[in-house]
Amino acid sequence: QNSNLMRKFDNTGVYIAEWSSTLPQYMAKASDDSVWVTGYDQKSILRFSDTGTLTAEIKNSGTTAGRFSNPYNYDYDSSGNIYVIDDTARVQKFGSDGAFIDTIIEGASEIGGSAYHVAVAPASGNIVVSSERAVSVFDEYGTFISNIGEGGVAWVDDGSLTGEFNHARDMAFDINGYLYVLDYFNARVQKFDSSNVAAGDFLSTYDGGYVTSWSVMADPLNIFIDSNSIVYVSPREENGGLPVLMYSDDGVPQGTLISAFGSDPDQYWTVNGIFIDEDDADKIYITDSHFDRIQVYDSTGTWIETIGGAGSGRNQFDNPGLASVHPTTGSLVVSDEGNHRLQIFTEGVRIKN
């Protein structure tokens, strides 16, 4: 039996024709007799004539303006605009309603290897991109300013010296503008001076305004900093079962945020994003990329609700990343990496792909 076939029958059930479509899942017939089909992965929508000729394709994914190739991460500027980075090291700017504005960074040779995350400096609006070898700083228009680390040059060591990186991953600014970077394979957090980051005026290639660092669990993947400069760090899936850990801004352990590891409806398996909504009673949003859902807890760690689930339709996710509440609209914004899109929700209803 071929699962990649669509078959056409007349109104008495008599077979008429068939044609191929990769893993067809949902289908609708338009008034002009054309047939619209989504595949199992729903990365595109296909249109066929009533005889099976492919006549059009609409894609979510892509490298043209306004589309994504695996959107890794995003951040907001002071006006509420959304900056999204995908696996092509491209940063695109969108309005708070999700409307495309501009491509800010694309093909920047200064980025040290594969890019991972983006952060926007709150004071200057400079755009910071983390990568394998460096943290690269651009102005708000995408003009390169400087690197922290050894981006763009041959490594002379394993990237473990002060201010160096062995795969810089997630980043966050605290309320005072200090930049915190997860140094993945070195299993540490590094903190950099706010004035240097904001101005792009780094002390040297190697220290880059370095302030301090501290060790965390193996393979740290996500970081969040609240208004009290408490630093929250979570591990990747291979270290599932470890809680989200809390630190002071100089690395002193402060306990755990929440420990609800498991597969039950009120638990999470793989943390792929942390957010605390301090404007709404400190609600905690944990992105669980294993079960493709967002778990919401109150400030005491009591489960409130689950948002989403596996899939590519409305209110569904495929390997979701960061979920956060938009600073000006109050909408929930989710990076839906496997479906090559951001989803924006308001009052629990998705309003924008």
Side-chain angles (χ1 to χ4, degrees), residues 270-329:
T270 304
V271 179
N272 203 26
I274 311 164
F275 180 78
I276 300 174
D277 188 0
E278 296 182 86
D279 293 326
D280 188 9
D282 291 337
K283 280 185 181 177
I284 303 165
Y285 292 80
I286 300 290
T287 303
D288 182 357
S289 59
H290 182 85
F291 288 110
D292 298 303
R293 62 191 182 187
I294 313 299
Q295 297 285 45
V296 185
Y297 303 88
D298 69 17
S299 60
T300 69
T302 301
W303 177 76
I304 299 174
E305 64 174 329
T306 297
I307 300 172
S312 48
R314 290 175 176 267
N315 309 319
Q316 294 179 321
F317 307 114
D318 180 0
N319 192 33
L322 177 63
S324 69
V325 175
H326 192 280
T328 60
T329 67

Side-chain angles (χ1 to χ4, degrees), residues 148-175:
I148 306 172
E150 296 181 287
V153 301
W155 282 10
V156 295
D157 51 49
D158 60 1
S160 61
L161 299 179
T162 295
E164 294 182 350
F165 305 101
N166 191 344
H167 289 72
R169 290 294 182 99
D170 203 3
M171 305 174 291
F173 286 93
D174 69 12
I175 195 169

Side-chain angles (χ1 to χ4, degrees), residues 16-141:
I16 298 174
E18 65 184 36
W19 61 86
S20 297
S21 178
T22 303
L23 295 177
Q25 187 175 31
Y26 300 111
M27 179 176 65
K29 183 174 178 291
S31 58
D32 62 357
D33 290 332
S34 62
V35 179
W36 294 82
V37 180
T38 59
Y40 177 74
D41 62 2
Q42 283 191 292
K43 302 298 190 297
S44 62
I45 302 173
L46 306 178
R47 184 180 71 182
F48 295 89
S49 70
D50 61 352
T51 60
T53 301
L54 180 64
T55 57
E57 180 176 12
I58 301 173
K59 294 183 177 180
N60 281 333
S61 62
T63 57
T64 56
R67 292 180 177 174
F68 305 115
S69 175
N70 296 322
Y72 282 159
N73 177 257
Y74 63 88
D75 199 11
Y76 308 102
D77 66 15
S78 59
S79 299
N81 296 309
I82 307 170
Y83 295 74
V84 185
I85 190 168
D86 65 14
D87 64 4
T88 66
R90 177 180 56 164
V91 176
Q92 298 184 83
K93 180 179 179 180
F94 297 82
S96 59
D97 60 352
F100 174 76
I101 296 176
D102 198 7
T103 298
I104 305 299
I105 300 170
E106 186 171 23
S109 61
E110 298 88 356
I111 294 175
S114 298
Y116 295 115
H117 288 261
V118 64
V120 181
S124 65
N126 286 345
I127 301 165
V128 185
V129 175
S130 66
S131 63
E132 293 177 86
R133 302 183 181 184
V135 169
S136 305
V137 182
F138 301 81
D139 69 17
E140 61 183 308
Y141 305 106

Side-chain angles (χ1 to χ4, degrees), residues 186-190 213-218 220 233 245 247 250-251 253:
N186 288 319
R188 64 184 177 183
V189 174
Q190 295 201 69
S213 66
W214 64 90
S215 297
V216 294
M217 78 286 282
V233 180
L245 301 180
Y247 300 89
D250 56 359

